[in-house]
Amino acid sequence: MGRRNITHVSDFILMGLTDSEEIRLVLFTLFLLIYLITVLGNVGMILIIRLDPQLHTPMYFFLSHLSFLDLSYSSVITPKTLDNLLTSKKNISYLNCFSQMYFFVFLGATECFLLSSMAYDRYVAICNPLHYPVVMSTRRCCSLVFGSYLIGFMDTSVNVLCLTRLHFCNSKTIYHFFCDGPAILALSCTNTHDIEIIIFISAGSTLVVSLITISVSYVSILSTILKITSTSGKQKAFSTCASHLLGVTIFYGTMIFTYLKPSTSYSLGKDQVASVFYSIVIPMLNPLIYSLRNKEVKNAPNRVMKKKKDSK
């Protein structure tokens, strides 16, 4: 009975990013602006891809799912963060905390393998262009997307099942702005060594396997591009990969910095800055990266408007 009272925690307290009321107001305004741009950018990307027949290709099929993941990813974290920045009450229930963490890990792991699928798509398009329509069939694309979601589900199930076994005693203050795995591990009053190893292997496998797939794809792509004799041909081939490569570099850079290390090296300031970047900023950057560097996407709104005028 005593143990049950000690280990049961009904809610947590999210300490957030700062105690200063002035800074919190500035951050609220900044994060709200970023979130609005994220929603508009990703919803706009999904709608444009659906409405423009010229974008009904494997590359943009994956991109529409990336936009959906980014929109969901940001919506899991940002609204609660905005609420905490405005109010003095920073409580989050045990169920809501673990639900937030569940969907956060699920969407993050899914995005890793979706980015791998996009790299494979670019590999086939550049290295085997004649076989591209056959290899990247609708069935293959759907299978890759389904597989990404399935792996994300398996990864988050392992993480959350491990973390629900932790004992928190009387500790309930999370020194973070959302329910993140390392912050919750640091909160536990019991030995977390075995759980850390399981989570490290699970998260590490997700990052490493997807990163190896992307790396192998881009090594093959680079090798093929170097064999192209014309400068314009090289530029055209590289431009089809530049946006994806930039998005991958930003996403994996912050994820590896934050998660592929033991909890003993957990640094509140550095990890919070990295977390803000990949959970709030990157979902806003992706639609900008893929639209500003892509002529097809930039011209899509004009094609859609012209099509509507012609239909009238």
Side-chain angles (χ1 to χ4, degrees), residues 4-15 80 84 88-100 167-175 179 184 187:
R4 189 177 302 171
N5 289 335
I6 290 173
T7 59
H8 177 70
V9 174
S10 60
D11 63 348
F12 295 101
I13 299 172
L14 291 170
M15 289 303 292
K80 181 60 180 174
N84 285 351
S88 57
K89 187 180 178 182
K90 299 181 179 182
N91 292 59
I92 182 171
S93 70
Y94 182 93
L95 180 60
N96 287 341
C97 182
F98 276 82
S99 296
Q100 186 185 61
H167 296 161
F168 299 105
C169 302
N170 295 322
S171 301
K172 55 187 294 185
T173 304
I174 299 174
Y175 292 95
C179 293
I184 291 176
L187 192 65

Side-chain angles (χ1 to χ4, degrees), residues 26-57:
V26 172
L27 289 176
F28 173 82
T29 306
L30 178 62
F31 289 173
L32 179 61
L33 180 62
I34 290 173
Y35 184 61
L36 290 174
I37 295 172
T38 300
V39 172
L40 290 173
N42 286 292
V43 170
M45 182 71 76
I46 294 169
L47 289 175
I48 285 296
I49 291 172
R50 286 184 64 88
L51 293 173
D52 188 5
Q54 288 193 33
L55 300 183
H56 292 176
T57 63

Side-chain angles (χ1 to χ4, degrees), residues 35-139:
Y35 184 61
L36 290 174
I37 295 172
T38 300
V39 172
L40 290 173
N42 286 292
V43 170
M45 182 71 76
I46 294 169
L47 289 175
I48 285 296
I49 291 172
R50 286 184 64 88
L51 293 173
D52 188 5
Q54 288 193 33
L55 300 183
H56 292 176
T57 63
M59 175 182 173
Y60 297 106
F61 173 73
F62 291 126
L63 185 54
S64 65
H65 279 276
L66 180 64
S67 292
F68 170 74
L69 287 175
D70 282 335
L71 178 62
S72 304
Y73 197 68
S74 182
S75 297
V76 167
I77 304 297
T78 311
K80 181 60 180 174
T81 303
L82 292 172
D83 180 54
N84 285 351
L85 287 170
L86 272 188
T87 61
S88 57
K89 187 180 178 182
K90 299 181 179 182
N91 292 59
I92 182 171
S93 70
Y94 182 93
L95 180 60
N96 287 341
C97 182
F98 276 82
S99 296
Q100 186 185 61
M101 185 168 54
Y102 180 91
F103 285 106
F104 175 74
V105 176
F106 167 66
L107 294 165
T110 302
E111 185 160 333
C112 284
F113 282 93
L114 186 67
L115 289 170
S116 300
S117 300
M118 293 174 73
Y120 176 70
D121 171 67
R122 293 299 83 205
Y123 158 75
V124 177
I126 293 172
C127 301
N128 297 291
L130 296 178
H131 297 96
Y132 182 75
V134 177
V135 176
M136 297 306 296
S137 62
T138 302
R139 185 175 180 180

Side-chain angles (χ1 to χ4, degrees), residues 115-124 126-127 210-224 241 244:
L115 289 170
S116 300
S117 300
M118 293 174 73
Y120 176 70
D121 171 67
R122 293 299 83 205
Y123 158 75
V124 177
I126 293 172
C127 301
S210 58
L211 198 54
I212 287 174
T213 304
I214 292 169
S215 300
V216 170
S217 297
Y218 274 104
V219 166
S220 301
I221 288 169
L222 182 60
S223 176
T224 302
C241 307
H244 179 255

Side-chain angles (χ1 to χ4, degrees), residues 213-270:
T213 304
I214 292 169
S215 300
V216 170
S217 297
Y218 274 104
V219 166
S220 301
I221 288 169
L222 182 60
S223 176
T224 302
I225 290 175
L226 291 175
K227 293 176 184 177
I228 299 174
T229 54
S230 66
T231 305
S232 60
K234 287 182 179 180
Q235 290 177 345
K236 184 178 179 181
F238 183 75
S239 66
T240 63
C241 307
S243 298
H244 179 255
L245 193 57
L246 179 60
V248 164
T249 303
I250 296 171
F251 181 78
Y252 278 89
T254 51
M255 291 286 279
I256 289 171
F257 171 81
T258 306
Y259 292 112
L260 286 191
K261 61 182 180 180
S263 64
T264 51
S265 63
Y266 180 77
S267 169
L268 181 61
K270 291 180 180 179

